[in-house]
């Protein structure tokens, strides 16, 4: 019997490989076999670490969904400034994320939208929304934080689905309207 090879990074390599497969071929192209080939591991390794494809998709979504949330988290100081223009900062950060890593944004939304048909992914997708909403609620309130996430989702999906250019000025104006509606301020004072 051959000795087992110690490979502490194998699980992570499998997740990374799943993300690459979905990025290249979509969720329809994901199988234990395609991921094993991409990760250069035996097929049994993928099923050892992830009994089902949904388990693997949950791990991939957990990792991939950190894109926009990380941008917001990393720039929390600018977003927390009570005198700063929240709408302008959010519009800028959204553009930076969409224009900086379009493939990553597409992957994040593909996995996020997969939760529509795969209940196992819903909790992770909801956590992503809640995390970003909580970060934004620090500057607004919980309802407005959720509304801002919904608006940003809509803007991002339109850009990604149409292949259009992100319009930072439009996003800023729309965000200002939501922020202004929550505070009673006219748009542009958010």
């Amino acid at each position: 019997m051959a000795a087992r090879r110690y490979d502490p990074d194998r699980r992570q390599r499998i997740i990374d490989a799943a993300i690459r497969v979905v990025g290249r071929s979509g969720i329809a192209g994901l199988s234990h076999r395609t991921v094993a080939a991409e990760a250069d591991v035996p097929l049994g390794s993928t099923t050892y670490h992830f009994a089902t494809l949904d388990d693997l998709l949950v791990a991939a979504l957990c990792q991939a969904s950190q894109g926009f949330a990380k941008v917001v988290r990393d720039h929390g100081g600018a977003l927390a400034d009570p005198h700063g223009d929240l709408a302008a900062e959010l519009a800028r950060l959204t553009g930076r994320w969409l224009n900086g890593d379009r493939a990553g944004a597409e992957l994040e939304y593909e996995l996020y939208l997969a939760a529509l048909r795969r209940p196992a992914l819903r909790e992770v997708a909801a956590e992503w929304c809640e995390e970003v909403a909580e970060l934004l609620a620090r500057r607004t309130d919980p309802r407005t934080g959720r509304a801002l996430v919904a608006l940003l989702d809509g803007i991002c999906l339109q850009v990604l689905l149409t292949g259009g250019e992100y319009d930072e000025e439009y996003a800023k104006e729309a965000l200002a309207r939501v922020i202004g509606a929550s505070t009673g301020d006219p748009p542009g004072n958010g």
Side-chain angles (χ1 to χ4, degrees):
M1 185 175 194
R4 245 187 178 174
R5 192 176 122 206
Y6 179 68
D7 188 356
D9 299 326
R10 184 173 290 192
R11 184 178 192 281
Q12 184 60 52
R13 283 201 331 272
I14 292 169
I15 295 168
D16 294 341
I19 289 171
R20 288 191 303 274
V21 168
V22 171
R24 181 176 58 245
S25 306
I27 289 175
L30 186 76
S31 70
H32 283 286
R33 191 171 305 285
T34 59
V35 171
E38 180 73 23
D40 195 25
V41 299
L43 178 59
S45 290
T46 63
T47 57
Y48 172 80
H49 289 286
F50 303 98
T52 68
L53 282 180
D54 279 350
D55 293 340
L56 183 54
L57 278 170
V58 166
L61 180 57
C62 284
Q63 183 169 313
S65 69
Q66 292 305 306
F68 186 67
K70 183 177 181 343
V71 169
V72 173
R73 245 191 338 270
D74 289 352
H75 295 86
L79 292 175
D81 178 3
H83 304 294
D85 186 338
L86 179 59
E89 187 61 18
L90 273 176
R92 186 184 70 74
L93 290 176
T94 302
R96 180 174 164 189
W97 176 65
L98 281 173
N99 296 326
D101 184 14
R102 183 75 164 236
E106 289 173 357
L107 172 68
E108 190 167 331
Y109 271 103
E110 180 164 2
L111 289 168
Y112 176 64
L113 292 173
L116 290 171
R117 301 273 183 223
R118 293 176 176 254
L121 298 176
R122 289 183 183 153
E123 185 177 331
V124 178
E127 286 171 4
W128 177 88
C129 289
E130 290 167 12
E131 179 186 1
V132 177
E134 286 173 13
L135 290 167
L136 298 177
R138 294 177 188 165
R139 179 75 189 278
T140 59
D141 60 76
R143 281 172 146 333
T144 305
R146 287 195 315 269
L148 292 170
V149 169
L151 175 58
L152 289 170
D153 271 347
I155 291 170
C156 290
L157 280 170
Q158 285 179 0
V159 169
L160 294 172
L161 291 173
T162 64
E165 292 295 316
Y166 173 71
D167 183 342
E168 187 173 320
E169 198 54 41
Y170 164 77
K172 177 183 167 185
E173 181 182 322
L175 291 162
R177 287 174 186 263
V178 170
I179 294 165
S182 74
T183 63
D185 290 339
N189 292 342

